[in-house]
C-alpha cells in the first residue's frame, strides 16, 4: 500500500494553507481533491458576489445624481445579462489566479483528483486505491444547504452554486435566508433590477444580534425590498413560476435563491471509520486551537469544521492543521477576534462579542446615529447606527455592531483595537482625521466614555501627559 | 479697565476647543472674534471641498459604467452651477451647526465681535476698548497666501476663500500649488468639467515625500489633467483671460486658483507689543506640547501657529492652550502621530515619519502595488501603491505613504498601529477580512516582514501560541 506522511483532503483555502505549512516540514505528502478546483471564495463565494454588489451599488448611485446636479439619471439602464457575464469574467480571472499559483502546476504524484473516503484513522481510499498516512487533514469545504423539499423544484430553486452561472437573471426572485449572503445578494440583485422578496424564519437579519442595529438594518434595507421575517417559508408549484408561502404571505416568483447556510462536506467521507464520536449533525469533535479531532492523527479545518466559515479563518485553520500534522508536539494557537462583514449598502458589521455573549451588568453600551455625521452627509449616506460595548470596570472595548457606510473599514479599526486590548479612553486618544467616517466611531466612543466611570490620568481626555 | 482671567482671540476650531477647557475652570473669560463666524473647515476648507469632491467622484464613475453593463453613460451631464449651489447649501448647514452650538447663543458680555490687538503681554484693545487678562489665547486662524503679484489680477486670481462663492465655474482654470488642497480641488473641478492645468514649483505633489508614491500619484492624476512641476508659475494679463507662464509653458485660462498655502493671521495683532522675539516669518516661538509662547502668559494654537494646520490638531492645540491658560502649572501633552489625507481619487495619504525623517540604514521599506488586489479590481480601482517603513532592529512600524482607494481608512489603521507601537509581525497577526482593501496593506506587511530579520516566537507567523 502507498504510504505518505501527510494527506490533505481538499484543495480549497484551508487545504492550500495546510499545504503551505506541510511543505515546510516534509516532501512526503498528497493533496486529494474531488470536484471543482479553485476556492469556494473565488468560485461561488465572496468574489463573484462582490462583483455584482459593486455594479449594483454604482448603478444605485444614480438616485443621488439629481441632488448632485448630475443630469441624465433617468436614462441610465442596466443590462443584467452583461452584468452576469462581467461577473463571470472577473471570477474566472480570480479562480485562475488561485489555481495557477497552487494546484495547476503540482506534480501528478502529489495531487490526486478524486473523492477520498476513510478506511480507518490512517487509511483513505481514493479512485479505488488505498493510501496510508501518518496524519490526515480534512479540508473538504462546504456546500449550500438544499433540503429535499426544495430540491424537487429543479432549477427554480437555486443556491449560490448556481446563481453566478445564470445567463439571464429572472424578473422576480425570492431570497430565503437573510443572513450575510442572502441579504447582500438580495439587495444587489434587487438593485440591478430583479424584484426581490426576502424571507427568514428569524427576526434578525445579517447575523446581527444587537436589536437596535437589527431594527435599523431592517428599516433601511426593507425600503428597497420587502422582507417577511419570523416565519418559515415553504414552496409550492404554480403556473409561471413558484409560489412562496410564509405565514399569511404568498408570492409567486420566477426563481428562489436559497441561502439558509452551508453544510460541511463530510457526509461522503465515511468518517465513522476513524473511530470517533459524531454529534447529531454528523460532525466530529475537534479543538479550535489545534484543529485536532479528539486525540486522533486527524485534523479538521476550513468550512468542513462547520465553524467560522470565513476565508481568513479558513486560512488560519489550514495553517494550524498543517503545522500540527507535521509537528512532534501538538501546539495550541490563539484564534482571532470575531469580525463579520455583510457587504450591503450601508455595510453591516459585527466585531468581538455580541450583547448576547456579554454579561449585561458588567457591560456599558453606547450608540451614535449616522444622521449628523458630516462626511456621511456629504457622501449622501448619513443613514445607520453605531453601537459599541465596553467592560464597565476596565473600559476595555468588547464588541461592536454597526450599520453604516464604510463600516467594513471601521470593523478593522475596531477588531484591531480589541486585539490590542484598548480601552475606550485610549481609543479617544488616537488620531481621528476630519472629515472621515471614523469620526462617527469617535462620537460613539465619547458617548460610551460618558457612561463609564473611569479614572483618567490626564486633565484632557484626548491627550496623554507627556 | 475691564479685567478677565482669560481672553480667547478667535472663535474657530482652536478657539472653541480652548473655550471648552476654559469654561471648566472659570467663568471669567472673553471670546473675541474678528471677521466671519464659523470655522475655516466648515466655511472654506475641508467641508465644502469634500462636497465638490464627492459630486465629482460620483460623476466620474460613469466612465466605468460600460464595463459594468450600465447603459446611458454617454448622456450623463453635469450642471456646474447646480453643483456650486448644492455645495453652498451643504456648507451653510454645516457652518450653521458649528455656530448654533457655539457662538450663536453666547451672552454678549462673553463674546465681542471685533479684531483684537496687543497693547502689552496682558492687555488687548478691541473696538477701541482696552481689556486686561491674566492669560491670553491666540487662535486667530489663517488666510490663503495671496502675494501682491497675484492680487493685482483681481477676481481672475482666486483662493479657496473665493472658490465656493462662484455662481458659475469657469471653463478653464489653472491651479497653482498642488499640495493637498490644490490637488484634490484641481482633480474635482476637472472632473466636473473645468479644464484644469496644474502648476507647482516643487517636483512633489500632495505633500508626498516618498518618490515612488509621488511618481505613481503624478502618473495617475496627470492622466486627468496636465501638470507642470518643478518651476515657478507667473501670471500676465491677456485678452479673454489670464496667461500663466511656467518655464517654456504658457497657457491662457479664465481663472487661476492659487493654493500655495495659508499664512497665520498674526500680522494685525501687534504681536511685537507682547515683548517676544518673532522669527523671520513674524511668528513667535512657542512650545508644541504646552502651546505657550516663551514664558509669557500667552498661548498660540490652531492655524495661527503655522504648524499642523489640520482640524484635529487644531482641536488638540485649543484644548492644550485652554487647559494651560487656566492651570496653576503648565503641563506638557503628547501630540498625535502625523496623519495626512489628500482626498483625491485614489486617496493619497501619509502617516508617521517620511523617509526624509528616518535614518536610511536603520529603516526597512516595502511596497505593494494595488494592481493585483482583488477587492480593488472589483471596485475598478486597482491602481496605486502602498509603501511602508519599519525599524530594522525592532520591526516597529514607523510610517507609510500610500496612493490607493480607501487609503483614508488605511491611514487610520496605520496611525493607530504606530500610536500603539505595533511591529510588522504583530500587525500580521491582526484579522484581515476578505475581500477588503486592508488586504493590500497585509500584502505590504508580508513584503516588509521578509526584509526584516526578526525573531518570531511562534511557528506560524500569523498565529501566536496560546
Amino acid at each position: 500500500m502507498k504510504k505518505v506522511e501527510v494527506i490533505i483532503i481538499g484543495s480549497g483555502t484551508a487545504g492550500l494553507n495546510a499545504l503551505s505549512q506541510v511543505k515546510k516540514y516534509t516532501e512526503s505528502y498528497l493533496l486529494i481533491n474531488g470536484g471543482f478546483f479553485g476556492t469556494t471564495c473565488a468560485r461561488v463565494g465572496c468574489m463573484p458576489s462582490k462583483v455584482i454588489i459593486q455594479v449594483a451599488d454604482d448603478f444605485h448611485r444614480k438616485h443621488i445624481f439629481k441632488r448632485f446636479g448630475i443630469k441624465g439619471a433617468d436614462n441610465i439602464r442596466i443590462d443584467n445579462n452583461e452584468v452576469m457575464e462581467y461577473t463571470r469574467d472577473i471570477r474566472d480571472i480570480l479562480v485562475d489566479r488561485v489555481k495557477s499559483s497552487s494546484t495547476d502546476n503540482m506534480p501528478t504524484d502529489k495531487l490526486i483528483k478524486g473523492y477520498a473516503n476513510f478506511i480507518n484513522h490512517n487509511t483513505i481510499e481514493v479512485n479505488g486505491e488505498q493510501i496510508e498516512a501518518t496524519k490526515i487533514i480534512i479540508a473538504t469545504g462546504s456546500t449550500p444547504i438544499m433540503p429535499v423539499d426544495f430540491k424537487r423544484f429543479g432549477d427554480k430553486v437555486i443556491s449560490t452554486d448556481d446563481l453566478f452561472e445564470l445567463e439571464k437573471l429572472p424578473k422576480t426572485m425570492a431570497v430565503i435566508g437573510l443572513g450575510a449572503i442572502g441579504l447582500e445578494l438580495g439587495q444587489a440583485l434587487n438593485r440591478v433590477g430583479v424584484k426581490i422578496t426576502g424571507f427568514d424564519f428569524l427576526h434578525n437579519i445579517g447575523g446581527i444580534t444587537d436589536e437596535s442595529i437589527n431594527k435599523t438594518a431592517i428599516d433601511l434595507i426593507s425600503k428597497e425590498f420587502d422582507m417577511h421575517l419570523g416565519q418559515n417559508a415553504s414552496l409550492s408549484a404554480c403556473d409561471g413560476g413558484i409560489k412562496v408561502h410564509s405565514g399569511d404571505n404568498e408570492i409567486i416568483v420566477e426563481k428562489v435563491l436559497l441561502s439558509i447556510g452551508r453544510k460541511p462536506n463530510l457526509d461522503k467521507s465515511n468518517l465513522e471509520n476513524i473511530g470517533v464520536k459524531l454529534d447529531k449533525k454528523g460532525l466530529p469533535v475537534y479543538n479550535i486551537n489545534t484543529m485536532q479531532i479528539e486525540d486522533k492523527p486527524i485534523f479538521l479545518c476550513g468550512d468542513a469544521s462547520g465553524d467560522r466559515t470565513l476565508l481568513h479563518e479558513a486560512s488560519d485553520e489550514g495553517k494550524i492543521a498543517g503545522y500540527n500534522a507535521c509537528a512532534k508536539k501538538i501546539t495550541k494557537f490563539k484564534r482571532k477576534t470575531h469580525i463579520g462583514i455583510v457587504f450591503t449598502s450601508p455595510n453591516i458589521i459585527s466585531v468581538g462579542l455580541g450583547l448576547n455573549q456579554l454579561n449585561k451588568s458588567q457591560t456599558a453600551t453606547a450608540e451614535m446615529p449616522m444622521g449628523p455625521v458630516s462626511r456621511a452627509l456629504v457622501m449622501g449616506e448619513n443613514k445607520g447606527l453605531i453601537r459599541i460595548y465596553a467592560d464597565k470596570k476596565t473600559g476595555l472595548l468588547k464588541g461592536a455592531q454597526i450599520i453604516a457606510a464604510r463600516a467594513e473599514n471601521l470593523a478593522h479599526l475596531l477588531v484591531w483595537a480589541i486585539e490590542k486590548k484598548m480601552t475606550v479612553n485610549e481609543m479617544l486618544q488616537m488620531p481621528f482625521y476630519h472629515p472621515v467616517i471614523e469620526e462617527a466611531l469617535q462620537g460613539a466612543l465619547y458617548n460610551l466614555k460618558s457612561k463609564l466611570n473611569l479614572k483618567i490620568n490626564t486633565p484632557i481626555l484626548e491627550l496623554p501627559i507627556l
Side-chain angles (χ1 to χ4, degrees), chain A residues 200-381:
Chain A
D200 203 296
F201 80 98
L202 294 173
H203 286 279
N204 291 50
I205 62 173
I208 284 300
T209 55
D210 186 302
E211 287 307 325
S212 303
I213 298 298
N214 187 54
K215 187 184 174 305
T216 308
I218 293 170
D219 285 353
L220 288 177
I221 296 177
S222 67
K223 278 183 189 142
E224 296 187 42
F225 63 86
D226 287 340
M227 290 181 199
H228 303 289
L229 302 175
Q231 279 174 318
N232 267 313
S234 60
L235 305 181
S236 65
C238 76
D239 281 351
I242 183 163
K243 194 181 277 184
V244 187
H245 313 258
S246 170
D248 295 337
N249 300 293
E250 274 190 11
I251 185 170
I252 295 172
V253 292
E254 277 182 55
K255 276 193 195 291
V256 171
L257 174 66
L258 195 66
S259 48
I260 56 173
R262 302 178 66 89
K263 66 169 202 291
N265 293 332
L266 292 176
D267 43 349
K268 293 171 194 156
S269 309
N270 294 340
L271 268 191
E272 59 280 6
N273 291 345
I274 66 177
V276 294
K277 265 190 252 170
L278 301 180
D279 67 15
K280 56 185 175 182
K281 286 182 180 169
L283 302 181
V285 176
Y286 74 100
N287 182 305
I288 63 157
N289 301 109
T290 66
M291 307 317 289
Q292 187 178 20
I293 295 177
E294 293 184 7
D295 58 352
K296 303 291 173 193
I298 304 177
F299 301 84
L300 183 63
C301 56
D303 280 11
S305 77
D307 296 320
R308 302 186 180 217
T309 54
L310 296 168
L311 179 127
H312 73 287
E313 296 283 6
S315 302
D316 281 357
E317 293 179 1
K319 290 188 184 91
I320 296 172
Y323 174 77
N324 275 333
C326 299
K328 291 206 177 79
K329 190 178 138 278
I330 297 290
T331 300
K332 287 188 176 183
F333 293 91
K334 180 187 167 296
R335 298 299 302 273
K336 291 194 170 40
T337 302
H338 165 73
I339 172 173
I341 298 173
V342 188
F343 290 90
T344 43
S345 167
N347 297 158
I348 300 171
I349 68 100
S350 63
V351 297
L353 298 174
L355 287 175
N356 54 335
Q357 298 164 301
L358 288 162
N359 182 312
K360 204 175 172 181
S361 69
Q362 289 166 14
T363 305
T365 69
E367 62 185 51
M368 174 75 194
M370 294 302 290
V373 178
S374 53
R375 179 63 183 285
L377 171 68
V378 167
M379 291 164 79
E381 300 188 49

